[in-house]
């Protein structure tokens, strides 16, 4: 019985180690990024300076449940984007 247990442990242990490494190297960082992005989207407010995933810089003019409107230049040109398009923010 003891020999069978050792054989099973010898065969299963590398798989368990691989799964553990995959969790900490791939899954957990992805979950942290998703949580961080969700917090960013919830905290958007008028006046925030933002950068979109397309590299557009602007100032938040309006925010609703799904979209954000940003002014992109001093002439007042505005873009309405999905909140998910906001990559980062700098408080003004």
């Amino acid at each position: 019985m003891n020999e069978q247990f050792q054989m099973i442990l010898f065969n299963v242990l590398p798989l368990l180690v691989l799964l553990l490494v995959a969790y900490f190297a791939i899954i957990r960082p992805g979950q942290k990024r998703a949580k961080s992005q969700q917090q960013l989207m919830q905290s958007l407010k008028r006046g925030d300076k933002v950068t979109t995933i397309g590299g557009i810089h602007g100032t938040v003019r309006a925010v609703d449940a799904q979209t954000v409107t940003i002014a992109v230049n001093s002439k007042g040109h505005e873009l309405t984007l999905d909140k998910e398009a906001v990559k980062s923010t700098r408080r003004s």
Side-chain angles (χ1 to χ4, degrees):
M1 182 73 169
N2 191 20
E3 190 175 310
Q4 286 178 338
F5 177 74
Q6 288 177 347
M7 191 65 141
I8 290 171
L9 186 64
F10 181 74
N11 288 329
V12 173
L13 190 60
L15 180 61
L16 292 175
V17 169
L18 183 64
L19 290 174
L20 203 68
V21 168
Y23 175 77
F24 284 105
I26 299 169
I27 297 169
R28 186 153 182 194
Q31 289 174 336
K32 282 186 171 184
R33 274 191 302 276
K35 184 178 179 181
S36 174
Q37 182 68 15
Q38 184 69 27
Q39 288 175 341
L40 172 75
M41 289 186 302
Q42 290 174 350
S43 70
L44 286 175
K45 65 179 192 248
R46 184 177 169 90
D48 288 349
K49 306 276 188 199
V50 296
T51 303
T52 69
I53 56 175
I56 299 170
H57 296 261
T59 303
V60 175
R61 293 290 181 220
V63 179
D64 65 22
Q66 299 294 324
T67 62
V68 60
T69 302
I70 62 171
V72 292
N73 61 21
S74 60
K75 295 179 183 179
H77 293 117
E78 294 183 347
L79 297 174
T80 301
L81 309 164
D82 287 343
K83 280 186 175 182
E84 290 85 14
V86 177
K87 179 174 76 171
S88 63
T89 183
R90 300 175 315 281
R91 301 282 184 224
S92 59

